[in-house]
């Protein structure tokens, strides 16, 4: 019964998150094609600023409602609401006060008003209802799916007329505020319990103790996800930031999709089995195989078809991003692999694991600053991110708390890494540059990328004997039901 619920939840979540990713993808395409590359670079700066505030205030008050054994209680929910509002109000105030120095940092003093308006986003988010989060404890994801997907549908419907009307960076400003407002409104409409606050010192302390490492981790995550773009925006130009941001967004899309779905699905299962180490490590080993195969799919796809993907989606004016998209794809692949040990650690209430591994990851930011100082090409900025992800994965594995079964998990990880790294390196150095002179050649290149990614991703998964046995077992079950 639990397996059926998991499959049903996985299907619903995957569908909704895929819809979210596609809506975001097409929204960015619509905006990018109707405004200049420079204006798209300014829009990227807006996204950077919002991301800084959100990640620097991320204490995961919603995640503890899933992880904690008493997370579904009314008092736990109400205290989470109070802490969420308090944190968001402070973030909004900080963003409003920092509008002027942020605008000056990127040499955009005429846009101070725009950065002040962005303060509405954390303020609105502070009123989010977390009842849909508690429903995830029982693998019920319907409300979560609606809250995530409906705002995206509303925004993409408005993207074209807004872009035609405003014609510049302001369209992104309106879009992100509207999306936030619709999401918060839906969280209240779909809630089964009333929205309230409560002051409970014990619960507040528990949430703060759970969340403070994630607060630091949020700042580190900004450095990881947005630091390279911030450096490019400050040291290079808005035009370079525009096409680099477009390439980064394409490679980031599958990572965000997979991270969200796998986090929703794996965290409840691993949390419930954390007292049964045999089952815990079995699920953990399957998760690393799954993460690695998805990582290989993404890395191979962007290595072979990345430039064609940019050309087809954003257009020729962003084609300069094709010079970095393969490196960014490899970087995101390493990040996808790191999802497995990160979720395992979080399910054990070990939120320090992602914090420490992301501290190690910031070595990439140091490298990027050095490369930017000497005005090296942006390919070096992208390469610094790949190097940082490798070190972060090593740290996450080293810090993972699996005293008696850790060797099995590490051996599984090492085999997966060796096979996937060899495949990705071979493809990266052997596949020739694409011919994008016509639409037909571009489409052929994308088809080749998809087919190669699927075959090699499945091959990496089947290398693991446990995965092969699991697949064979599920296949036999299907045959028995059919007969």
């Amino acid at each position: 019964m639990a397996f059926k619920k998991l499959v049903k939840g996985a299907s619903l979540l995957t569908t909704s998150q895929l819809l979210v990713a596609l809506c975001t993808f097409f929204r960015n395409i619509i905006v990018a094609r109707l405004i200049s590359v420079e204006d798209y670079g300014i829009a990227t700066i807006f996204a950077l600023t919002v991301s800084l505030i959100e990640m620097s205030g991320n204490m995961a008050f919603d995640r503890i409602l899933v992880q904690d054994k008493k997370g579904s209680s009314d008092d736990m929910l109400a205290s989470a609401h109070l802490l969420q509002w308090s944190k968001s109000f402070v973030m909004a105030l900080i963003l409003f006060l920092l509008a002027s120095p942020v605008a000056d940092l990127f040499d955009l003093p005429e846009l101070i008003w725009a950065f002040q308006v962005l303060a509405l986003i954390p303020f609105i988010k502070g009123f989010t209802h977390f009842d849909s989060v508690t429903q995830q404890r029982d693998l019920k994801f319907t409300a979560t799916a609606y809250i995530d997907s409906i705002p995206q549908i509303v925004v993409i419907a408005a993207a074209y007329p807004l872009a035609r009307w405003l014609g510049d960076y302001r369209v992104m400003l309106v879009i992100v505020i509207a999306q936030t407002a619709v999401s918060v409104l839906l969280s209240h409409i779909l809630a089964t319990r009333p929205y309230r606050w409560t002051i409970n010192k014990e619960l507040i302390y528990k949430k703060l103790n759970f969340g403070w490492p994630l607060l630091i981790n949020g700042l580190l995550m900004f450095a990881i996800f947005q630091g390279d773009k911030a450096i490019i925006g400050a040291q290079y130009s808005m035009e370079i930031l525009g096409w680099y941001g477009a390439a980064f967004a394409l490679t980031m899309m599958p990572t965000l999709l997979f991270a969200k779905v796998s986090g929703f699905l794996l965290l409840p299962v691993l949390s419930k089995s954390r007292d049964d180490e045999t089952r815990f490590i079995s699920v953990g080993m399957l998760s690393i195989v799954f993460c690695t195969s998805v990582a290989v799919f993404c890395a191979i796809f962007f290595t072979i078809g990345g430039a064609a993907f940019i050309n087809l989606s954003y257009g020729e004016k962003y084609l300069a991003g094709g010079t970095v998209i393969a490196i960014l794809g490899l970087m995101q692949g390493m990040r996808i692999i790191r999802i497995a040990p990160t979720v395992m650690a979080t399910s054990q209430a070990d939120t320090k694991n992602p914090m420490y591994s992301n501290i190690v990851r910031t070595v990439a930011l140091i490298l990027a600053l050095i490369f930017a100082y000497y005005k090296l090409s942006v390919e070096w900025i992208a390469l610094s991110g790949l190097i940082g992800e490798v070190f972060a994965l090593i740290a996450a594995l080293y810090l993972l708390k699996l005293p008696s079964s850790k060797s099995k998990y590490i051996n599984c990880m090492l085999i997966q890494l060796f096979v996937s790294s060899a495949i990705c390196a071979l493809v990266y150095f052997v596949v020739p540059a694409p011919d994008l002179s016509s639409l037909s050649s571009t489409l052929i290149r994308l088809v080749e990328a998809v087919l190669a990614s699927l075959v090699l991703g499945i091959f990496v998964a089947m290398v693991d004997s446990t995965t092969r046995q699991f697949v064979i077992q599920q296949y036999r079950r299907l045959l028995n039901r059919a007969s």
Side-chain angles (χ1 to χ4, degrees):
M1 188 67 180
F3 182 73
K4 288 183 178 179
K5 290 176 69 176
L6 182 63
V7 172
K8 182 180 179 182
S11 301
L12 179 62
L13 268 180
T14 302
T15 302
S16 66
Q17 294 305 315
L18 181 60
L19 180 61
V20 169
L22 288 174
C23 286
T24 303
F25 172 63
F26 286 112
R27 180 202 72 190
N28 289 341
I29 288 176
I30 291 169
V31 174
R33 284 182 172 271
L34 293 176
I35 65 177
S36 67
V37 178
E38 184 177 357
D39 276 329
Y40 192 77
I42 295 174
T44 301
I45 294 297
F46 291 158
L48 285 176
T49 306
V50 174
S51 178
L52 172 60
I53 294 300
E54 290 184 348
M55 290 183 174
S56 64
N58 178 27
M59 298 187 72
F61 296 134
D62 55 339
R63 291 295 90 198
I64 195 173
L65 299 177
V66 177
Q67 186 276 332
D68 193 84
K69 292 181 179 179
K70 298 180 180 179
S72 60
S73 68
D74 290 342
D75 284 345
M76 282 287 284
L77 181 63
S79 63
H81 287 155
L82 175 60
L83 286 172
Q84 173 71 7
W85 181 87
S86 302
K87 180 258 304 182
S88 298
F89 178 79
V90 172
M91 293 298 102
L93 182 61
I94 291 173
L95 180 53
F96 185 85
L97 295 176
L98 289 180
S100 179
V102 169
D104 290 339
L105 174 65
F106 295 105
D107 196 24
L108 300 169
E110 71 278 8
L111 296 182
I112 293 175
W113 67 271
F115 289 101
Q116 291 173 335
V117 170
L118 285 173
L120 284 172
I121 294 173
F123 180 77
I124 294 170
K125 277 195 171 184
F127 295 95
T128 300
H129 201 308
F130 286 146
D131 184 63
S132 63
V133 178
T134 62
Q135 295 174 29
Q136 296 170 20
R137 295 171 59 87
D138 298 318
L139 301 179
K140 297 178 181 178
F141 301 104
T142 303
T144 299
Y146 285 143
I147 292 169
D148 287 344
S149 57
I150 291 178
Q152 295 285 352
I153 296 172
V154 171
V155 163
I156 196 171
Y160 182 79
L162 280 173
R164 294 291 294 179
W165 174 41
L166 297 173
D168 57 26
Y169 56 84
R170 290 174 297 171
V171 61
M172 196 61 77
L173 193 65
V174 175
I175 282 174
V176 291
I177 294 174
Q179 182 178 318
T180 302
V182 174
S183 178
V184 172
L185 179 62
L186 282 171
S187 74
H188 288 267
I189 293 174
L190 297 173
T192 59
R193 288 183 281 182
Y195 177 85
R196 66 186 185 91
W197 296 349
T198 189
I199 299 176
N200 185 312
K201 292 183 179 179
E202 181 182 351
L203 295 180
I204 289 175
Y205 175 79
K206 177 184 285 190
K207 289 182 176 65
L208 292 176
N209 189 52
F210 179 86
W212 77 260
L214 295 176
L215 176 65
I216 298 174
N217 189 55
L219 289 168
L220 297 172
M221 292 291 285
F222 174 81
I224 292 168
F225 286 123
Q226 312 293 357
D228 54 349
K229 295 198 285 290
I231 291 170
I232 291 172
Q235 295 294 320
Y236 292 83
S237 69
M238 287 297 114
E239 183 177 355
I240 292 176
L241 178 60
W243 57 255
Y244 184 92
F248 191 95
L250 290 178
T251 58
M252 188 69 177
M253 181 176 63
T255 304
L256 291 177
L257 170 63
F258 182 75
K260 204 162 190 178
V261 172
S262 59
F264 282 145
L265 294 176
L266 292 176
L267 185 58
V269 175
L270 288 167
S271 295
K272 289 182 179 180
S273 61
R274 64 179 177 266
D275 296 327
D276 182 354
E277 190 169 352
T278 301
R279 185 168 184 269
F280 185 83
I281 197 65
S282 297
V283 177
M285 289 175 70
L286 285 173
S287 69
I288 184 54
V289 174
F290 184 43
C291 288
T292 308
S293 62
V294 173
V296 170
F297 175 88
C298 293
I300 298 299
F301 174 80
F302 287 113
T303 299
I304 297 175
F309 198 21
I310 288 180
N311 189 38
L312 186 65
S313 55
Y314 287 92
E316 291 185 3
K317 61 184 179 180
Y318 291 89
L319 200 52
T323 59
V324 298
I325 197 166
I327 301 173
L328 292 174
L330 292 170
M331 179 190 75
Q332 295 298 342
M334 290 301 300
R335 172 141 196 91
I336 289 173
I337 295 173
R338 189 155 62 97
I339 289 172
T342 298
V343 175
M344 289 181 73
T346 304
S347 70
Q348 298 173 315
D350 180 16
T351 52
K352 294 179 182 178
N353 181 297
M355 179 187 73
Y356 289 136
S357 60
N358 281 329
I359 289 175
V360 174
R361 171 63 171 81
T362 55
V363 67
L365 189 61
I366 298 172
L367 288 174
L369 286 168
I370 294 172
F371 296 153
Y373 177 80
Y374 287 104
K375 292 294 182 180
L376 299 182
S377 65
V378 291
E379 287 90 341
W380 287 93
I381 306 292
L383 182 62
S384 68
L386 176 58
I387 295 170
E389 283 296 342
V390 172
F391 284 110
L393 177 60
I394 294 171
L397 290 172
Y398 176 77
L399 296 169
L400 192 61
K401 297 175 182 178
L402 296 172
S404 62
S405 303
K406 191 170 183 177
S407 60
K408 295 180 181 178
Y409 186 84
I410 297 297
N411 289 338
C412 175
M413 171 70 82
L414 290 176
I415 293 171
Q416 290 287 297
L417 280 175
F418 176 78
V419 175
S420 59
S421 299
I423 290 173
C424 290
L426 180 65
V427 172
Y428 183 81
F429 289 109
V430 170
V431 174
D435 173 20
L436 305 178
S437 58
S438 65
L439 178 61
S440 60
S441 61
T442 300
L443 292 174
I444 290 172
R445 184 70 168 193
L446 285 173
V447 171
E448 292 172 347
V450 171
L451 292 176
S453 302
L454 280 172
V455 171
L456 294 175
I458 293 172
F459 173 78
V460 168
M462 292 300 103
V463 166
D464 181 66
S465 59
T466 305
T467 304
R468 290 198 304 270
Q469 293 172 6
F470 177 79
V471 171
I472 292 170
Q473 184 182 26
Q474 297 305 317
Y475 177 70
R476 287 174 177 171
R477 284 183 179 179
L478 289 174
L479 288 180
N480 291 334
R481 289 176 185 173
S483 60

